[in-house]
Amino acid sequence: MSAAGSLLAVLPAASVLLLTVATTPRGVDPVAPTRLAAVRAAVVAGAYAVLVVEVLGALHALTRPAFVAAWLLFLLATATAVALRWRRDTPLAEASAATPRRVPVGAAVTAGAGPETSVALADRGPAGGRDAAPVQTGGVRARAADAWRTASRGERLLAGVIGGLVLLELLVALLAEPNNFDSQTYHLPKVEHWVAQGDLDFWPTAIHRQVTIPPGAEYLLLHLRLLTGGDALHNLVQWAAGVLCLLVTARITAQLGGGRRAQLITAFVLASTPMVVLQATSTQTDLVCAAWVACAATLVLDGLRRRTGWGTLLGLGAATGLTAVTKTSGLIAVGPLLVLWGLAQLRLALAARAPAAARVRPVGGVVRVVAGSALILVVAALVVGPFLARVTAEFGHPLGPPRLRESIPMERHDPASVLVNALRIGHTAFDTPLAPLRSASADAIIDGADAIGVDPQDRAITFGREVFPVPAWYPDEDRVAFPIAGAVALLGALVALVRPRRIDSGQAGPLRAYAVVVLTTVLLHTAMLKWQPWGNRLLLYALVLAVPLAGLWLDAILRRHAGRATSTAPTSGRARRSVATLAVVAVLATSALAGVLALSYGFPRRLVGSGSVFTTSDWDTRFLRRPEWADEFRWAASAVRDSGARRIGLVEQNDNWEYPWWLLLRQPDGGSPELVSLQSVLPERPPADPASMDAIVCTGSQPACAKLVPAGWRLEFRDYVGYALPPGR
């Protein structure tokens, strides 16, 4: 990455920060306003990034100058908005400074909670009751300092661990080269195809996922690719999504009545979940999807008690569209969330009790809700619609070809099949290193499935040719389980559903409603998606949605103990509460240990040991999944480059690595190589003629390669990689 590329990469980051300042709410008393502003900035910037790609793609202008111009324009707009707001707010701030007032410390901390620091997570609700102190309303830094000053040692420890994990993840994300398996196959190759073409048109390919899987996260990578000229910052997209998830889940906790400690516990549990730790340094897409789902959730919760404004409606639409264009499975959560929002808005409209002169008629309120719902759908369609239109035009269906529609979604929906699928998904999600426990639970599921007449390996409820069970406890970014976070989230959801007053007596209704959404999401997921060894990745959005209930429940246990520690309760009661407190501490300590181990020894990026980001070369880091392929790719690419070939044919299978060719065969000036597929699974996109190539490179199967090599060409092949050259080269 060049120095100019580094400077250009600042444009999106600066724009988002300015937009956060410009959209911080004023004149109302929202929960955690700075975090709300971060949500607004994220969805606006995300929608803008997607629309820029779509518009410039339609104009065949996916080039660096066009993207630089787009971000300069956005930066100018956000800077102007900040300047206008500063001019408008300065007189009010001066008047407020002249008349300092006493406010509760907890309220000051809430107002200051923002994305700049994890210790600024706000104090609100039952745990936030502190003596009032003379606090001057000020900037985020001052409010963050006040939060740290008033925090307990336990809260500081939680915040310190969260901040440490986030910073170490940032270090790994910057040092490690992209090496996710799926990214080598289709995430990053699709970005390179767009750069080479200058547009978003589909291309002949043997890897259908390059064109059929929603490309929202790759759109964000495309911005970095064109601004920087390489992939050095690609991991930062998921890292930023992880930070956004922490901020938003903490805000959701506050919206549901949680104080500062509850919010910190929520962020702590999520930040130390191995799947989150590992994905935050990768070019996968699951954290990006989870972040958009969380944004939709926090905006929906704002609508439980007050009418939703048009700005928030636009935000909900953008979050819905961004979820759909990133990973359609995220809509399994967004759907119930929008239903909750609609019901809450209808209740508010029908229960309006204003003075007669200003009364909002119920019919008018219902119409407003219907119009708001339509606006959400229209905005979502603007974001995801162009991609769906291309897929529909290519395959005749918005969800792609039959092989995609039948491979992941469940093909049986009878109760017995859904139950077996749910049990298998749960087994994989809650897997632990305890082999006897894993074996016993898997055997019980298999025997139970046989007893109710369901084949536990039925292809209609099982992805591909995979066989249940598989170990999922090892810290691997593609499959690692989350037994701690998943268990406390599930228990928290059940408590919130059945006995919400044990968490917060003043928030029983919102807690129960949110728990219904979380449990509905989990049930829909298990009823709609087949079990697969990598299914824990697909569940990440549901975990992020549920973890606030874990934080609230764990905090309620601690709060009940603290509130009765000096009471005259019997010794046995105090002992039980002590055991409960120790259990919570043990859960948090174990979660922290899991997160630290995942960051230290996780795969395929780690801090220490074999494959460490400090001791492994850039090229070898890319091949940590398949180290034996590193030299083979270099060998074949070197021969092709030495031949002077310009037009190069690709022979590959559906799960082969294509991205290394884009790196190794770049033109001397850094331009994209001319790589053309000699196979195609797109009926309307025929492959190129092998005889028209200057060279052919192959991965996977030597017989498949040999079938496409023209007669008389020289074919060289090793274990996984090969190349072919015409006579005379």
Side-chain angles (χ1 to χ4, degrees):
M1 182 177 65
S2 65
S6 300
L7 292 175
L8 292 176
V10 174
L11 292 175
S15 299
V16 172
L17 288 176
L18 288 174
L19 192 57
T20 301
V21 175
T23 58
T24 301
R26 64 180 185 277
V28 294
D29 184 27
V31 177
T34 307
R35 275 176 278 165
L36 174 58
V39 170
R40 292 173 173 176
V43 296
V44 171
Y48 178 78
V50 169
L51 293 177
V52 164
V53 172
E54 291 290 357
V55 171
L56 293 180
L59 298 174
H60 305 282
L62 297 180
T63 63
R64 173 184 274 192
F67 274 66
V68 171
W71 281 110
L72 285 174
L73 178 64
F74 194 65
L75 182 64
L76 177 62
T78 55
T80 301
V82 170
L84 292 174
R85 173 160 185 168
W86 181 80
R87 290 180 59 185
R88 183 169 55 246
D89 291 353
T90 298
L92 297 176
E94 292 175 349
S96 176
T99 57
R101 58 190 178 89
R102 293 171 63 89
V103 297
V105 171
V109 176
T110 301
E116 294 76 12
T117 175
S118 62
V119 301
L121 294 172
D123 192 7
R124 185 180 180 89
R130 298 181 184 268
D131 294 334
V135 178
Q136 187 78 33
T137 56
V140 169
R141 182 183 301 177
R143 297 195 294 270
D146 181 72
W148 185 259
R149 178 179 60 82
T150 59
S152 66
R153 284 179 296 179
E155 291 169 346
R156 291 181 182 182
L157 179 61
L158 291 172
V161 173
I162 295 168
L165 288 171
V166 169
L167 290 177
L168 286 174
E169 289 163 8
L170 176 60
L171 178 65
V172 174
L174 290 172
L175 292 179
E177 303 298 316
N179 61 0
N180 173 262
F181 194 104
D182 284 348
S183 295
Q184 307 279 9
T185 300
Y186 69 96
H187 290 311
L188 299 185
K190 71 168 67 173
V191 174
E192 296 300 326
H193 277 286
W194 295 332
V195 173
Q197 296 177 172
D199 58 39
L200 300 174
D201 290 346
F202 292 162
W203 53 89
T205 178
I207 304 173
H208 76 88
R209 292 174 293 174
Q210 291 183 357
V211 296
T212 57
I213 299 293
E218 291 89 341
Y219 282 174
L220 303 182
L221 293 176
L222 177 61
H223 285 266
L224 289 178
R225 169 66 175 85
L226 287 172
L227 291 175
T228 66
D231 62 10
L233 300 183
H234 278 9
N235 292 332
L236 293 187
V237 171
Q238 281 261 109
W239 178 83
V243 172
L244 183 59
C245 286
L246 296 180
L247 295 172
V248 179
T249 52
R251 182 172 191 264
I252 291 172
T253 305
Q255 290 173 290
L256 295 173
R260 178 168 57 199
R261 185 176 61 197
Q263 295 169 56
L264 283 167
I265 291 174
T266 294
F268 183 91
V269 170
L270 185 62
S272 57
T273 299
M275 177 66 77
V276 175
V277 170
L278 294 170
Q279 288 237 354
T281 63
S282 82
T283 47
Q284 262 294 3
T285 63
D286 304 284
L287 266 180
V288 178
C289 174
W292 300 136
V293 170
C295 287
T298 194
L299 294 176
V300 164
L301 288 178
D302 278 339
L304 294 188
R305 289 195 175 92
R306 63 172 179 263
R307 303 289 292 277
T308 299
W310 296 109
T312 302
L313 290 172
L314 294 174
L316 275 171
T320 301
L322 288 167
T323 301
V325 81
T326 301
K327 215 173 185 72
T328 51
S329 57
L331 294 177
I332 296 174
V334 174
L337 284 168
L338 292 179
V339 170
L340 174 62
W341 171 85
L343 293 174
Q345 291 294 295
L346 284 174
R347 179 182 60 82
L348 292 172
L350 296 175
R353 291 293 185 269
R359 179 170 299 167
V360 179
R361 296 182 180 276
V363 174
V366 172
V367 171
R368 179 186 172 92
V369 174
V370 173
S373 303
L375 179 60
I376 292 172
L377 296 178
V378 168
V379 173
L382 287 175
V383 175
V384 71
F387 168 71
L388 293 181
R390 288 193 298 275
V391 173
T392 303
E394 189 72 31
F395 300 104
H397 195 286
L399 297 181
R403 65 184 300 176
L404 178 63
R405 302 197 305 271
E406 296 170 1
S407 61
I408 297 178
M410 287 274 285
E411 297 177 80
R412 290 181 56 179
H413 297 92
D414 56 284
S417 297
V418 171
L419 175 61
V420 171
N421 193 55
L423 291 174
R424 295 183 306 165
I425 289 175
H427 175 275
T428 306
F430 293 101
D431 192 19
T432 71
L434 303 175
L437 177 61
R438 180 191 317 126
S439 299
S441 59
D443 291 343
I445 292 172
I446 293 173
D447 293 342
D450 292 336
I452 59 177
V454 176
D455 179 3
Q457 316 300 346
D458 186 353
R459 298 302 100 189
I461 61 173
T462 305
F463 178 83
R465 299 178 180 178
E466 305 302 326
V467 177
F468 173 84
V470 295
W473 63 268
Y474 185 80
D476 183 304
E477 66 173 355
D478 283 337
R479 66 174 64 189
V480 62
F482 33 83
I484 299 173
V488 293
L490 181 59
L491 290 172
L494 293 175
V495 172
L497 178 67
V498 179
R499 302 189 68 179
R501 296 185 184 278
R502 291 184 65 85
I503 296 176
D504 188 341
S505 59
Q507 296 280 343
L511 280 168
R512 181 173 281 130
Y514 191 77
V516 168
V517 168
V518 168
L519 294 173
T520 299
T521 297
V522 173
L523 292 175
L524 288 174
H525 182 99
T526 58
M528 297 175 67
L529 301 182
K530 295 176 179 177
W531 174 87
Q532 56 180 282
W534 315 278
N536 291 341
R537 288 194 303 104
L538 304 183
L539 264 176
L540 189 56
Y541 75 95
L543 177 68
V544 170
L545 189 69
V547 79
L549 297 175
L552 289 162
W553 176 57
L554 294 176
D555 178 68
I557 295 174
L558 296 175
R559 192 171 65 248
R560 286 198 301 273
H561 167 67
R564 300 176 184 174
T566 59
S567 69
T568 59
T571 303
S572 60
R574 291 197 298 272
R576 286 195 298 271
R577 287 189 293 275
S578 297
V579 170
T581 300
L582 290 175
V584 171
V585 172
V587 166
L588 296 179
T590 306
S591 182
L593 178 62
V596 170
L597 289 176
L599 191 58
S600 301
Y601 298 100
F603 195 73
R605 292 165 302 281
R606 57 177 52 170
L607 287 172
V608 297
S610 176
S612 165
V613 294
F614 297 113
T615 60
T616 309
S617 69
D618 293 349
W619 186 250
D620 289 337
T621 297
R622 295 181 185 276
F623 285 85
L624 283 174
R625 284 283 186 192
R626 298 291 187 272
E628 66 275 14
W629 295 348
D631 290 338
E632 292 192 25
F633 271 99
R634 276 182 161 169
W635 160 76
S638 177
V640 171
R641 285 197 311 270
D642 292 344
S643 73
R646 304 286 293 179
R647 184 174 167 84
I648 303 165
L650 281 174
V651 179
E652 56 196 0
Q653 287 74 57
N654 185 56
D655 208 30
N656 289 170
W657 285 18
E658 179 182 312
Y659 186 58
W661 298 127
W662 291 97
L663 298 175
L664 291 167
L665 298 175
R666 281 188 179 175
Q667 299 176 10
D669 61 357
S672 299
E674 187 178 359
L675 294 177
V676 184
S677 179
L678 303 184
Q679 307 146 290
S680 180
V681 294
L682 280 67
E684 304 300 322
R685 312 264 174 182
D689 181 5
S692 67
M693 301 294 113
D694 298 329
I696 295 173
V697 292
C698 309
T699 52
S701 168
Q702 181 175 357
C705 181
K707 289 181 180 179
L708 292 171
V709 173
W713 285 40
R714 175 170 59 93
L715 172 63
E716 300 285 343
F717 210 98
R718 290 189 178 177
D719 290 336
Y720 181 75
V721 176
Y723 70 91
L725 296 173
R729 284 190 179 269

